[in-house]
Amino acid sequence: MKKICPSILSADFSILAEEIKKAELSGADIIHCDIMDGHFVPNITFGPDIVAKVNEITNLPLDVHLMIENADMYIDSFYKAGADYISVHAENNFHINRLVNKIKSLGMKAGVALNPATGIQTLDSIIEYLDFVLVMSVNPGFGGQKFIPNSIGKIKDIKRLISEKNPLCSIEIDGGIGPANIKEVSDAGADMFVCGASVFKAPDAKSAIIEMKRLINN
Ligand code: DX5
Ligand code: ZN
């Protein structure tokens, strides 16, 4: 079953608990938490303490997307905070195999995230160990950006790689996803859809999620 993963980056932080409940009641499958450190990306968000609070508010699985330097130092903290999925970026982590093993050894699902300009050859020697690949379809750092069209071809290429080497691996797409493009992205092979603005800035989050689910599950 394909999954809608609202990103709380686009939520109103002054009423975060209500926003998360709204997403949950609207049919969200997973809550996506964007962790930014002002070094790997030009923005700063929040850390494990907030993720732990999010975990108290919802029963949905938490998907923690680490856009930070020294990710290895924080895996334990996000695990303790309640993360179910953790993705680390290919561009700034030298010991991806060790990181992925660490995430999986704690019982979480491990993913590798690729920036828009990062080629998929970087997955060759790690794909067989991954639970998911996160394809960034915007340059990471901010919500509400425009989908970069060549991400579609990239998803198709990753789908081919996955069918050969690890058919159980999922593909998550992150950035600029909404009702206008979700079907094409889904048909290309994506299974998990991060939706920031298209859920939290929608006039009605519930109808937005229902519509997107209709588009990807038919
Ligand atoms: C961007 C983040 C995304 C972002 C998506 O760096 O990784 O998860 O919140 O937001 P939208 O869906 O608005 O592009
Ligand atoms: Zn993200």
Side-chain angles (χ1 to χ4, degrees), residues 8 19 21 26-27 49 63 120 144 155 218:
I8 55 171
E19 292 277 80
K21 275 289 158 209
S26 300
D49 291 350
D63 171 31
I120 74 159
I155 296 171
N218 283 329

mmCIF file of all heavy atoms in Angstrom, residues 8 19 21 26-27 49 63 120 144 155 218:
data_model
loop_
_atom_site.group_PDB
_atom_site.id
_atom_site.type_symbol
_atom_site.label_atom_id
_atom_site.label_comp_id
_atom_site.label_asym_id
_atom_site.label_seq_id
_atom_site.Cartn_x
_atom_site.Cartn_y
_atom_site.Cartn_z
ATOM 1 N N ILE A 8 5.938 17.883 8.705
ATOM 2 C CA ILE A 8 5.519 18.935 9.636
ATOM 3 C C ILE A 8 6.303 20.235 9.448
ATOM 4 O O ILE A 8 5.994 21.235 10.087
ATOM 5 C CB ILE A 8 5.575 18.476 11.115
ATOM 6 C CG1 ILE A 8 6.961 17.951 11.487
ATOM 7 C CG2 ILE A 8 4.492 17.451 11.381
ATOM 8 C CD1 ILE A 8 7.121 17.702 12.991
ATOM 9 N N GLU A 19 -1.950 20.355 14.540
ATOM 10 C CA GLU A 19 -1.608 20.091 13.145
ATOM 11 C C GLU A 19 -1.338 18.592 12.925
ATOM 12 O O GLU A 19 -1.770 18.011 11.930
ATOM 13 C CB GLU A 19 -0.362 20.893 12.754
ATOM 14 C CG GLU A 19 -0.578 22.407 12.709
ATOM 15 C CD GLU A 19 -1.190 22.872 11.405
ATOM 16 O OE1 GLU A 19 -2.444 22.723 11.271
ATOM 17 O OE2 GLU A 19 -0.461 23.395 10.553
ATOM 18 N N LYS A 21 -2.462 16.088 14.778
ATOM 19 C CA LYS A 21 -3.744 15.382 14.928
ATOM 20 C C LYS A 21 -4.580 15.524 13.656
ATOM 21 O O LYS A 21 -5.231 14.590 13.201
ATOM 22 C CB LYS A 21 -4.528 15.950 16.125
ATOM 23 C CG LYS A 21 -4.121 15.310 17.435
ATOM 24 C CD LYS A 21 -4.616 13.851 17.498
ATOM 25 C CE LYS A 21 -3.820 13.029 18.484
ATOM 26 N NZ LYS A 21 -3.734 11.604 18.162
ATOM 27 N N SER A 26 -6.836 13.067 9.035
ATOM 28 C CA SER A 26 -7.088 13.249 7.601
ATOM 29 C C SER A 26 -6.617 12.071 6.777
ATOM 30 O O SER A 26 -6.749 12.072 5.553
ATOM 31 C CB SER A 26 -6.379 14.522 7.100
ATOM 32 O OG SER A 26 -6.848 15.657 7.776
ATOM 33 N N GLY A 27 -6.003 11.072 7.406
ATOM 34 C CA GLY A 27 -5.610 9.868 6.669
ATOM 35 C C GLY A 27 -4.117 9.734 6.414
ATOM 36 O O GLY A 27 -3.711 8.881 5.612
ATOM 37 N N ASP A 49 14.320 16.334 20.796
ATOM 38 C CA ASP A 49 13.327 16.657 21.840
ATOM 39 C C ASP A 49 11.951 16.921 21.236
ATOM 40 O O ASP A 49 10.922 16.496 21.778
ATOM 41 C CB ASP A 49 13.767 17.883 22.652
ATOM 42 C CG ASP A 49 14.983 17.573 23.519
ATOM 43 O OD1 ASP A 49 15.343 16.381 23.622
ATOM 44 O OD2 ASP A 49 15.585 18.516 24.071
ATOM 45 N N ASP A 63 9.018 9.266 10.487
ATOM 46 C CA ASP A 63 10.048 9.148 9.450
ATOM 47 C C ASP A 63 10.971 10.357 9.592
ATOM 48 O O ASP A 63 10.555 11.487 9.344
ATOM 49 C CB ASP A 63 9.311 9.144 8.096
ATOM 50 C CG ASP A 63 10.223 9.252 6.902
ATOM 51 O OD1 ASP A 63 11.368 8.771 6.976
ATOM 52 O OD2 ASP A 63 9.768 9.806 5.873
ATOM 53 N N ILE A 120 22.503 8.061 -9.267
ATOM 54 C CA ILE A 120 22.066 6.857 -8.540
ATOM 55 C C ILE A 120 23.179 5.814 -8.424
ATOM 56 O O ILE A 120 23.041 4.836 -7.702
ATOM 57 C CB ILE A 120 20.798 6.220 -9.123
ATOM 58 C CG1 ILE A 120 21.090 5.499 -10.439
ATOM 59 C CG2 ILE A 120 19.687 7.231 -9.321
ATOM 60 C CD1 ILE A 120 20.024 4.461 -10.751
ATOM 61 N N GLY A 144 7.590 23.879 0.275
ATOM 62 C CA GLY A 144 6.882 24.720 -0.684
ATOM 63 C C GLY A 144 7.640 25.037 -1.967
ATOM 64 O O GLY A 144 7.286 25.978 -2.676
ATOM 65 N N ILE A 155 13.522 8.204 -10.489
ATOM 66 C CA ILE A 155 12.728 7.176 -9.790
ATOM 67 C C ILE A 155 12.667 5.903 -10.637
ATOM 68 O O ILE A 155 12.833 4.789 -10.126
ATOM 69 C CB ILE A 155 11.293 7.683 -9.495
ATOM 70 C CG1 ILE A 155 11.326 8.855 -8.535
ATOM 71 C CG2 ILE A 155 10.429 6.554 -8.936
ATOM 72 C CD1 ILE A 155 9.981 9.535 -8.370
ATOM 73 N N ASN A 218 -5.183 3.966 -7.543
ATOM 74 C CA ASN A 218 -6.024 3.457 -8.642
ATOM 75 C C ASN A 218 -5.198 3.097 -9.855
ATOM 76 O O ASN A 218 -4.136 3.621 -10.060
ATOM 77 C CB ASN A 218 -7.085 4.488 -9.018
ATOM 78 C CG ASN A 218 -8.210 4.496 -7.995
ATOM 79 O OD1 ASN A 218 -8.493 3.457 -7.405
ATOM 80 N ND2 ASN A 218 -8.800 5.644 -7.755
#
